[in-house]
Amino acid sequence: MRPSSSVFDGVLARGGVAEQVSGRAWLQALLDFEAALARAQAGARIISEQDAEQIAAVCDADRYDVAEIGAGAAEIGNPAGAVVKALKAVVDAPVHLGATSQDAMDTAMMLVVKRALVPLLDDLRGAADAAAALANAHRDTPIMGRTLLQEAKPTTFGLKAAGWMVSLDEAADNLHNVRLAYQLGGPVGTLEPLKLDLGLDAPLLPWHTLRGRVGELAGALGVACGAIAKAARDVTLLPEVRERVGGGSTSMPHKHNPVAAISALGCARQAPGLVATLLAAMEQEHERAAGAWHSEWAPLNALLVATGSAASWLRESLEGLELRTHLGDDTDTGAAATLVDRALENR
Amino acid sequence: MRPSSSVFDGVLARGGVAEQVSGRAWLQALLDFEAALARAQAGARIISEQDAEQIAAVCDADRYDVAEIGAGAAEIGNPAGAVVKALKAVVDAPVHLGATSQDAMDTAMMLVVKRALVPLLDDLRGAADAAAALANAHRDTPIMGRTLLQEAKPTTFGLKAAGWMVSLDEAADNLHNVRLAYQLGGPVGTLEPLKLDLGLDAPLLPWHTLRGRVGELAGALGVACGAIAKAARDVTLLPEVRERVGGGSTSMPHKHNPVAAISALGCARQAPGLVATLLAAMEQEHERAAGAWHSEWAPLNALLVATGSAASWLRESLEGLELRTHLGDDTDTGAAATLVDRALENR
Amino acid sequence: MRPSSSVFDGVLARGGVAEQVSGRAWLQALLDFEAALARAQAGARIISEQDAEQIAAVCDADRYDVAEIGAGAAEIGNPAGAVVKALKAVVDAPVHLGATSQDAMDTAMMLVVKRALVPLLDDLRGAADAAAALANAHRDTPIMGRTLLQEAKPTTFGLKAAGWMVSLDEAADNLHNVRLAYQLGGPVGTLEPLKLDLGLDAPLLPWHTLRGRVGELAGALGVACGAIAKAARDVTLLPEVRERVGGGSTSMPHKHNPVAAISALGCARQAPGLVATLLAAMEQEHERAAGAWHSEWAPLNALLVATGSAASWLRESLEGLELRTHLGDDTDTGAAATLVDRALENR
Amino acid sequence: MRPSSSVFDGVLARGGVAEQVSGRAWLQALLDFEAALARAQAGARIISEQDAEQIAAVCDADRYDVAEIGAGAAEIGNPAGAVVKALKAVVDAPVHLGATSQDAMDTAMMLVVKRALVPLLDDLRGAADAAAALANAHRDTPIMGRTLLQEAKPTTFGLKAAGWMVSLDEAADNLHNVRLAYQLGGPVGTLEPLKLDLGLDAPLLPWHTLRGRVGELAGALGVACGAIAKAARDVTLLPEVRERVGGGSTSMPHKHNPVAAISALGCARQAPGLVATLLAAMEQEHERAAGAWHSEWAPLNALLVATGSAASWLRESLEGLELRTHLGDDTDTGAAATLVDRALENR
């Protein structure tokens, strides 16, 4: 059971991302850094293989109490120190040697992101697949096109869905390509980083206060939420569609609310403000920032959860979307269908 | 122990606010709404006194599982339905009669805010008091004034502290005066609300999609964080001051980092983006919004926690701030001291 | 003719606010500060009456070139120095005596705000009046209530309009009550300010880096935009209403687009991000901020214009709104009508 | 002379971007769309070559009054209709055939962006070059490293500058690679676009309400501002550096303010809020959005100007930066210098 359960989790923390950014997940990522550091130092003959294996053996989150680490974070302003202290209490070996707490924190952050992106991208691509299926099934199903929220001229439902698909695909590609690197610069970022075996890129320079990676990630998550919100907004507004999962309200049983699309919007709309916070946090002083760095953790976690939850909801909505057309079969849909075909072929 | 423990809690969730916005706190607030509704309906002879007391008797969060309610929230897109269902499983009485789920949610939100503001304002006023003590003690202690981050002309440390005090006091007054009302409009907001006995204002109209209260609260929290950030930023930049709580880093024992001020900044800087989300959410459609409403909960919780944590950290910083002056006693500080006296008298 | 004409002015800069935040308006406000300063110093026998009158006589924006002042602003990072230089070129008297450039800039900002609020509040109250008229005319005109964008139960159009009215009234009251003070603290803010006769409050302390006033103003403008956006969104979504000003599109003459409500949304939606920038700018270092202060001017101008333009468009929309009802007269509208009456009586 | 002169232009609109987003520039871009459309239609034998040349011949912004077009924009909520009307008044040929106003607006937006990126990237790369020169010159010049705003351990000034360089280079590369496409989908986006010869990509689908391109651009501009702000912040905080352009204040001639870095911050800090607005605007309804689309223009213009101005100021700051070292030559700078070399080689 996730420890951070709230009464909103079913709506705002759907899917697999929340678990990947939990306190336990961060703790494990911090421990993974310490284990990888020890092994790299053993590889470079800085510490002994034995010491490295001793350290690695205790780098398991189940051995420690998240709440205790969290409370200990107050001492130096981040949890890395408390993790090192906890490790040193159980192992007599050179833990965290030569590293600074931000090395651990930044590497952990990148690991958390990498792991959170797995379920996030699965749901985002799942939503795109569902949109593709709708586009394919309804490539020439006529539906009223609406501009400025007024009825305009016919289009096809397939073309609407193809648009959702293209936007979701592009957003997923961007997220797939974000730059994720470990951090290992030492106290003032002057160390040439040892190679850490964590599935992350080796950075060109220590990047303690060079936060382009965080800013780019934030932007890509914001764009993903924008793509999700566009599709979800259409679902909430379209009289022609019906979510399989939607349900009647308790007080008004005749209603069939598009709960999935609405929840997707409730998640996705949190993104722009969180992106702004992360971009503002790029202004980091000298070799370690006093506050801007600390202001990244909560918004990044929240942004990952919101995006993942929104993607999961949209997938649910689109996978079960039923269409009831109103327009007659004599509508000319050729041009729209051609566009749909091209978009599907281009996938 | 707080259930939502994370490795960041010691830094980002300091003070008493986090507990007041926890899953359990929201659940209790939702239950408080149902109990107050039943009692008001008994008072108006809509249901029996006996039914009302039966309902009120089970409106205790300890009887229910937060995680289960949270999971159930997915069904209609908010947790109020799951709460009603849980109540109906244990009591045979007319729960939630005539109300809509947003009545419960909005009232609970206002209760949560009211309760969270108690520790928040305590710490904010505590920080202002600490600033006042510094202003009083150092009304004519000369210190170099700095403009555009360059040394300029002398001022007094007391005047700097008086400025912090005035800003914190004003921010606290604004927060103290935010408008908090219950909600009871029924399915489409056409009910004349019964009076609920919850320590909240009676609204002029049902305000399901009239979110001025939320926007004003967001603005007031944002301004409070701005006032906190100004003081904390000065502490981090001033070579003349030293936090009692700050400590040396593990790798560099000669350092004395202003951990409290830094953490205050790490919290406060999350505010502007969260305020933006809440202001954007004011655009709510018709009688109940599809998404904008749902996008309020997480940012509001986060904003309350960030503001409360920032206030708690700043109080810690200022209560233990030590000053080491550099300027000679021959500096003319009369004008600055006069300003300090006036600000202190005006409290 | 306004010098800052753009191809978007008709949509994004409607109403009287744009002129009040123009380059010329800022220049005049800067000159008004210098004139008021000279007169106050004459009143305090710091300079002669003759000098003061000489200075005041040349404090007329028509005598100077806005573009030249703007170019000169690069020298010290704000236009106040260029204004002082321009004045000293035409008058042989002690201009700007004892003041710092931020004294001039902050006072000018508050004057600009005060003047911009006149047309802004006129349009905002005009929109509220139009909503009140709709509420009164349609207190018991039945219309379908919609929740989560689905048809729910009937309400009255009057109650919808009364909700808009209440929100707009509250937003206008908040804006009317914002704290506007002059600034006169000298180089490091240690001066006890002389009284300036500019229709602005005397501040308790110099507030060069205490930006609560700016943050509160930003919040109030953001809330106003939220209230406007809610009403405008309803207008764009309601099939039952038609704007008198709306028009057919060139390519689709059968359409009648709610251009006024759409444009109001286009303006109002710019607010949340701008508010975030102004709140983030509250973190100002020491006695004069290096960058945060400078980051206020453009967003504040943009926020004032966006709010004023949104208010002007909403007024246009609501003053000409035509209603075509669909629901039968047998709908029970008593409860809704009672709420409308109460809201109107409470104005 | 730029028509939109304000008293802030020297500070907030430095460099060549402002001219590229002016009213006149937008007007020319709108005309360029109409000319390209006519030529494409002539190429496809939809209209005659003669008609196309007649249209193209009058597509020169100098022939029209920006203010008049701007005023006319109020009619349909965007200026494209007014441009078409102005063209039809001077040429008897099929202007804007089959296109919708958003085709013209979106294509013009992309042209404006493409043209604004030229001076923007020139200054951004110029700033990176200046950082590279500093990195090269000072690869092993020792300087105190500072963490959490406290003195920590030595680094080299070259490594600081190399960090700025890498971040600026990455930001410039991202901006260089943003996706810019024309728009030509017709009233409801069902047209297969003709190829327009404007130096823009052909889109896979009409993207009237698929705003990934705008969101990605916004993110890239936000990241660029973050990279600029980091470097500028360091300059304002470093006691060891002095801007050649900085100057003494009028009231305090002993000061030497880093005006360029401060102004860069004043510009760059506007970005996060503007990015948030553009990301929020991605939620666009159906085939043309009612408000979200309209909310893009002003923030995008402002974001381009802010980024360009920030880049220009930072370039000015770094090109004239003088270093006065404090640390002795016996500091070991080998590791830092190695990192610098690697970063420079990697350019």
Side-chain angles (χ1 to χ4, degrees):
Chain A
M1 198 186 79
R2 285 185 47 229
S4 64
S5 64
S6 94
V7 290
F8 301 106
D9 277 3
V11 184
L12 301 181
R14 186 188 173 90
V17 173
E19 186 160 358
Q20 300 300 332
V21 307
S22 69
R24 197 195 171 286
W26 270 89
L27 174 54
Q28 186 58 57
L30 285 163
L31 292 165
D32 290 342
F33 167 82
E34 301 296 347
L37 175 64
R39 283 177 172 143
Q41 290 177 331
R45 317 260 168 192
I46 297 166
I47 69 171
S48 72
E49 285 285 347
Q50 200 177 7
D51 276 348
E53 286 319 305
Q54 266 198 289
I55 291 170
V58 295
C59 285
D60 174 355
D62 287 340
R63 298 176 63 113
Y64 309 94
D65 180 32
V66 172
E68 205 174 294
I69 299 291
E75 201 175 330
I76 63 165
N78 72 64
V83 169
V84 172
K85 192 182 288 186
L87 284 173
K88 288 187 174 168
V90 295
V91 70
D92 183 23
V95 174
H96 195 68
L97 191 67
T100 190
S101 62
Q102 194 173 359
D103 290 337
M105 292 302 300
D106 283 349
T107 302
M109 180 170 73
M110 291 282 129
L111 280 176
V112 163
V113 169
K114 184 182 166 76
R115 291 162 186 174
L117 285 178
V118 175
L120 192 159
L121 282 171
D122 185 59
D123 276 332
L124 195 55
R125 295 204 188 277
D129 288 345
L134 291 168
N136 191 52
H138 296 290
R139 60 186 285 283
D140 53 9
T141 307
I143 193 174
M144 180 52 71
R146 293 161 178 102
T147 57
L148 305 173
L149 286 173
Q150 315 299 310
E151 301 202 344
K153 291 184 172 180
T155 179
T156 74
F157 184 65
L159 183 53
K160 285 183 84 83
W164 303 339
M165 175 195 79
V166 167
S167 286
L168 295 167
D169 278 340
E170 290 171 353
D173 290 347
N174 286 345
L175 274 172
H176 180 78
N177 292 328
V178 289
R179 302 184 298 143
L180 300 178
Y182 57 81
Q183 181 76 278
L184 187 52
V188 290
T190 50
L191 295 188
E192 183 168 7
L194 281 173
K195 173 100 190 80
L196 297 188
D197 187 18
L198 286 165
L200 298 170
D201 295 341
L204 180 63
L205 291 184
W207 51 279
H208 292 135
T209 50
L210 308 173
R211 312 303 280 183
R213 284 172 185 83
V214 185
E216 292 166 22
L217 169 66
L221 289 165
V223 169
C225 281
I228 293 166
K230 190 277 178 284
R233 173 49 77 205
D234 281 356
V235 171
T236 62
L237 287 170
L238 280 170
E240 295 92 345
V241 301
R242 187 181 166 95
E243 284 186 352
R244 205 164 45 207
V245 291
S249 80
T250 41
S251 57
M252 293 175 283
H254 64 286
K255 288 187 68 187
H256 188 89
N257 297 318
V259 171
I262 290 166
S263 299
L265 284 166
C267 296
R269 283 180 156 222
Q270 300 172 42
L274 296 167
V275 175
T277 304
L278 290 166
L279 289 175
M282 288 186 66
E283 184 190 318
Q284 302 211 350
E285 308 96 0
H286 296 316
E287 280 66 46
R288 180 157 314 124
W293 169 42
H294 308 73
S295 74
E296 290 177 353
W297 306 318
L300 182 58
N301 281 345
L303 183 55
L304 286 165
V305 171
T307 310
S309 187
S312 173
W313 274 119
L314 183 64
R315 178 184 198 165
E316 176 89 11
S317 175
L318 298 186
E319 284 182 350
L321 210 61
E322 296 159 11
L323 179 69
R324 289 167 298 177
T325 49
H326 293 280
L327 294 183
D329 288 344
D330 55 343
T331 313
D332 179 12
T333 58
T338 304
L339 289 172
V340 174
D341 292 344
R342 192 207 297 172
L344 286 168
E345 281 159 25
N346 192 65
R347 270 203 114 191
Chain B
M1 199 185 80
R2 287 186 47 231
S4 64
S5 64
S6 95
V7 290
F8 301 106
D9 276 4
V11 184
L12 302 180
R14 186 187 174 89
V17 173
E19 186 160 359
Q20 300 301 331
V21 307
S22 69
R24 197 194 172 285
W26 269 89
L27 174 54
Q28 187 58 57
L30 285 163
L31 293 165
D32 290 342
F33 167 81
E34 302 296 347
L37 174 65
R39 283 178 172 143
Q41 290 177 331
R45 317 260 167 192
I46 297 166
I47 69 171
S48 72
E49 284 286 346
Q50 202 176 5
D51 277 348
E53 286 319 306
Q54 267 198 288
I55 292 170
V58 295
C59 285
D60 174 355
D62 287 339
R63 299 176 64 113
Y64 309 93
D65 180 32
V66 171
E68 204 173 294
I69 299 290
E75 200 175 329
I76 63 166
N78 72 64
V83 169
V84 171
K85 191 182 287 187
L87 284 173
K88 287 187 173 167
V90 296
V91 70
D92 182 24
V95 173
H96 195 69
L97 190 67
T100 190
S101 61
Q102 194 173 359
D103 290 337
M105 292 301 300
D106 283 348
T107 302
M109 180 170 74
M110 291 281 129
L111 280 176
V112 163
V113 170
K114 184 183 167 75
R115 290 163 186 173
L117 285 179
V118 175
L120 192 159
L121 282 171
D122 186 59
D123 277 332
L124 195 55
R125 294 204 189 277
D129 288 345
L134 291 169
N136 190 52
H138 296 289
R139 59 187 286 283
D140 52 9
T141 306
I143 193 174
M144 180 52 72
R146 293 160 178 104
T147 57
L148 305 172
L149 287 173
Q150 314 300 311
E151 301 203 345
K153 291 185 173 180
T155 179
T156 73
F157 184 65
L159 182 53
K160 285 183 86 84
W164 303 339
M165 175 194 79
V166 167
S167 286
L168 295 167
D169 277 340
E170 290 171 353
D173 290 346
N174 286 346
L175 275 172
H176 180 78
N177 292 329
V178 289
R179 302 183 299 142
L180 300 177
Y182 57 81
Q183 181 76 278
L184 187 52
V188 291
T190 50
L191 294 188
E192 183 168 6
L194 279 173
K195 174 100 190 82
L196 297 187
D197 187 18
L198 286 165
L200 298 170
D201 295 341
L204 180 63
L205 291 184
W207 50 280
H208 292 135
T209 49
L210 308 173
R211 310 304 278 183
R213 284 172 185 82
V214 184
E216 291 166 22
L217 169 65
L221 289 165
V223 169
C225 282
I228 292 166
K230 190 277 178 281
R233 174 48 78 206
D234 281 356
V235 171
T236 63
L237 287 170
L238 278 171
E240 295 92 343
V241 301
R242 187 182 166 96
E243 283 187 352
R244 205 163 44 208
V245 291
S249 79
T250 41
S251 57
M252 294 174 282
H254 65 285
K255 287 186 68 188
H256 189 88
N257 297 319
V259 171
I262 291 166
S263 299
L265 283 166
C267 297
R269 283 180 156 224
Q270 299 172 43
L274 296 166
V275 175
T277 305
L278 290 166
L279 290 175
M282 287 186 67
E283 184 190 317
Q284 303 211 350
E285 308 96 359
H286 296 317
E287 280 67 46
R288 180 158 315 125
W293 168 43
H294 307 73
S295 74
E296 290 176 353
W297 306 318
L300 183 58
N301 281 345
L303 183 54
L304 286 165
V305 171
T307 311
S309 187
S312 174
W313 274 119
L314 183 64
R315 179 185 197 165
E316 176 89 10
S317 175
L318 298 187
E319 285 182 350
L321 210 62
E322 296 159 11
L323 179 70
R324 289 168 297 178
T325 50
H326 293 280
L327 295 184
D329 287 346
D330 55 342
T331 314
D332 179 11
T333 59
T338 303
L339 289 172
V340 175
D341 292 344
R342 192 206 299 174
L344 286 169
E345 280 159 25
N346 193 64
R347 269 202 114 191
Chain C
M1 199 186 78
R2 285 186 47 230
S4 64
S5 61
S6 94
V7 290
F8 301 106
D9 276 3
V11 184
L12 302 180
R14 185 186 173 93
V17 173
E19 185 160 359
Q20 300 300 330
V21 307
S22 68
R24 197 194 172 285
W26 270 89
L27 175 54
Q28 185 59 56
L30 285 162
L31 292 165
D32 289 343
F33 167 80
E34 302 297 346
L37 175 64
R39 282 175 173 144
Q41 291 177 330
R45 317 260 167 191
I46 298 167
I47 69 171
S48 71
E49 284 286 346
Q50 200 176 6
D51 276 348
E53 286 320 305
Q54 265 196 293
I55 292 170
V58 295
C59 285
D60 174 354
D62 288 339
R63 299 177 63 113
Y64 309 94
D65 179 32
V66 171
E68 204 173 295
I69 299 291
E75 201 175 332
I76 64 167
N78 72 64
V83 169
V84 171
K85 191 182 285 187
L87 283 173
K88 287 188 173 167
V90 295
V91 69
D92 182 23
V95 173
H96 196 68
L97 190 67
T100 189
S101 62
Q102 194 173 359
D103 290 336
M105 292 301 301
D106 283 349
T107 302
M109 180 171 73
M110 290 282 129
L111 279 177
V112 163
V113 170
K114 185 183 167 75
R115 291 163 185 173
L117 284 179
V118 175
L120 192 159
L121 282 171
D122 185 59
D123 276 332
L124 195 55
R125 294 204 188 278
D129 288 345
L134 291 168
N136 190 54
H138 297 289
R139 61 186 287 282
D140 53 9
T141 307
I143 191 173
M144 180 51 72
R146 293 160 178 105
T147 59
L148 305 172
L149 287 172
Q150 315 299 311
E151 300 203 346
K153 292 186 172 180
T155 180
T156 73
F157 184 65
L159 183 52
K160 285 184 85 83
W164 304 339
M165 173 194 80
V166 167
S167 286
L168 295 167
D169 277 341
E170 290 172 353
D173 289 347
N174 286 346
L175 275 173
H176 180 77
N177 293 329
V178 290
R179 302 183 302 141
L180 300 177
Y182 57 82
Q183 181 77 278
L184 187 54
V188 290
T190 50
L191 295 187
E192 183 168 7
L194 280 174
K195 174 101 189 81
L196 297 188
D197 187 17
L198 287 165
L200 299 169
D201 294 342
L204 181 62
L205 290 183
W207 50 279
H208 293 133
T209 50
L210 308 173
R211 311 304 278 184
R213 284 173 185 83
V214 184
E216 292 166 23
L217 169 66
L221 289 166
V223 169
C225 282
I228 292 167
K230 190 276 178 283
R233 174 48 78 206
D234 282 355
V235 171
T236 63
L237 287 169
L238 280 171
E240 295 91 344
V241 301
R242 186 182 167 96
E243 284 186 351
R244 204 163 45 208
V245 291
S249 80
T250 41
S251 56
M252 293 174 283
H254 65 285
K255 288 187 65 187
H256 188 89
N257 298 318
V259 171
I262 290 167
S263 299
L265 283 165
C267 296
R269 284 180 155 222
Q270 299 172 41
L274 296 167
V275 174
T277 304
L278 290 167
L279 289 175
M282 286 185 67
E283 185 191 316
Q284 303 212 348
E285 308 97 358
H286 297 315
E287 280 67 46
R288 180 155 317 124
W293 168 42
H294 308 73
S295 74
E296 290 177 352
W297 306 318
L300 182 57
N301 280 345
L303 183 54
L304 286 165
V305 171
T307 311
S309 186
S312 174
W313 274 119
L314 183 64
R315 178 184 199 167
E316 176 89 9
S317 174
L318 298 187
E319 285 182 350
L321 210 62
E322 295 161 11
L323 178 70
R324 289 166 300 176
T325 51
H326 294 280
L327 295 184
D329 287 344
D330 55 343
T331 313
D332 179 11
T333 59
T338 304
L339 289 171
V340 175
D341 292 342
R342 193 208 296 172
L344 287 169
E345 279 158 24
N346 192 63
R347 270 202 113 190
Chain D
M1 199 185 79
R2 286 187 48 232
S4 64
S5 61
S6 94
V7 289
F8 301 107
D9 276 2
V11 184
L12 301 180
R14 186 186 173 93
V17 174
E19 184 159 0
Q20 300 300 331
V21 306
S22 68
R24 196 192 173 286
W26 270 90
L27 175 54
Q28 185 59 56
L30 285 162
L31 292 165
D32 290 342
F33 167 81
E34 301 298 346
L37 174 65
R39 283 176 173 144
Q41 291 178 330
R45 317 261 168 192
I46 298 168
I47 68 172
S48 71
E49 284 285 347
Q50 199 176 8
D51 276 348
E53 287 319 305
Q54 265 196 292
I55 292 170
V58 295
C59 285
D60 174 354
D62 287 340
R63 298 177 63 113
Y64 310 93
D65 179 33
V66 172
E68 204 173 295
I69 299 290
E75 201 174 332
I76 64 167
N78 72 63
V83 168
V84 171
K85 190 182 287 187
L87 284 173
K88 288 187 172 166
V90 295
V91 68
D92 183 23
V95 174
H96 195 70
L97 191 68
T100 189
S101 62
Q102 194 173 0
D103 290 336
M105 291 302 300
D106 283 349
T107 302
M109 181 170 72
M110 290 281 129
L111 279 177
V112 163
V113 169
K114 185 183 167 74
R115 291 163 185 173
L117 284 178
V118 176
L120 192 160
L121 282 171
D122 185 60
D123 276 331
L124 195 55
R125 294 205 188 277
D129 288 346
L134 292 169
N136 191 54
H138 296 289
R139 61 185 286 283
D140 53 9
T141 307
I143 192 174
M144 180 51 72
R146 293 161 178 103
T147 58
L148 305 173
L149 287 173
Q150 314 300 311
E151 301 203 346
K153 291 185 172 181
T155 180
T156 73
F157 184 65
L159 183 52
K160 286 184 84 84
W164 303 339
M165 174 194 80
V166 168
S167 287
L168 295 167
D169 278 341
E170 290 171 353
D173 290 347
N174 286 345
L175 274 173
H176 180 77
N177 293 330
V178 290
R179 302 183 300 142
L180 300 178
Y182 58 81
Q183 181 77 277
L184 186 54
V188 290
T190 51
L191 295 187
E192 183 168 6
L194 280 174
K195 173 100 189 83
L196 297 188
D197 187 17
L198 286 166
L200 298 169
D201 294 342
L204 181 63
L205 291 182
W207 49 279
H208 293 133
T209 51
L210 308 173
R211 311 304 278 183
R213 284 172 185 83
V214 184
E216 292 166 23
L217 169 66
L221 290 166
V223 169
C225 281
I228 293 167
K230 190 276 179 284
R233 173 49 77 205
D234 282 355
V235 171
T236 63
L237 286 169
L238 279 171
E240 295 92 344
V241 302
R242 186 183 166 95
E243 284 186 350
R244 204 163 45 209
V245 291
S249 80
T250 41
S251 57
M252 294 174 283
H254 64 286
K255 289 186 66 187
H256 188 90
N257 297 317
V259 171
I262 291 166
S263 299
L265 283 165
C267 296
R269 286 181 153 220
Q270 299 172 43
L274 296 166
V275 175
T277 304
L278 290 166
L279 289 175
M282 286 185 68
E283 184 191 317
Q284 303 212 348
E285 308 97 359
H286 296 314
E287 280 67 44
R288 179 156 316 125
W293 168 43
H294 308 73
S295 73
E296 290 177 352
W297 307 317
L300 182 58
N301 280 345
L303 183 54
L304 286 165
V305 171
T307 310
S309 187
S312 173
W313 273 119
L314 183 64
R315 178 185 199 165
E316 176 89 9
S317 175
L318 298 187
E319 285 183 348
L321 210 61
E322 296 160 11
L323 178 70
R324 288 167 300 176
T325 50
H326 294 279
L327 294 184
D329 287 345
D330 56 342
T331 313
D332 180 12
T333 59
T338 305
L339 289 171
V340 174
D341 292 343
R342 193 207 297 172
L344 286 169
E345 280 157 25
N346 193 64
R347 271 202 112 191

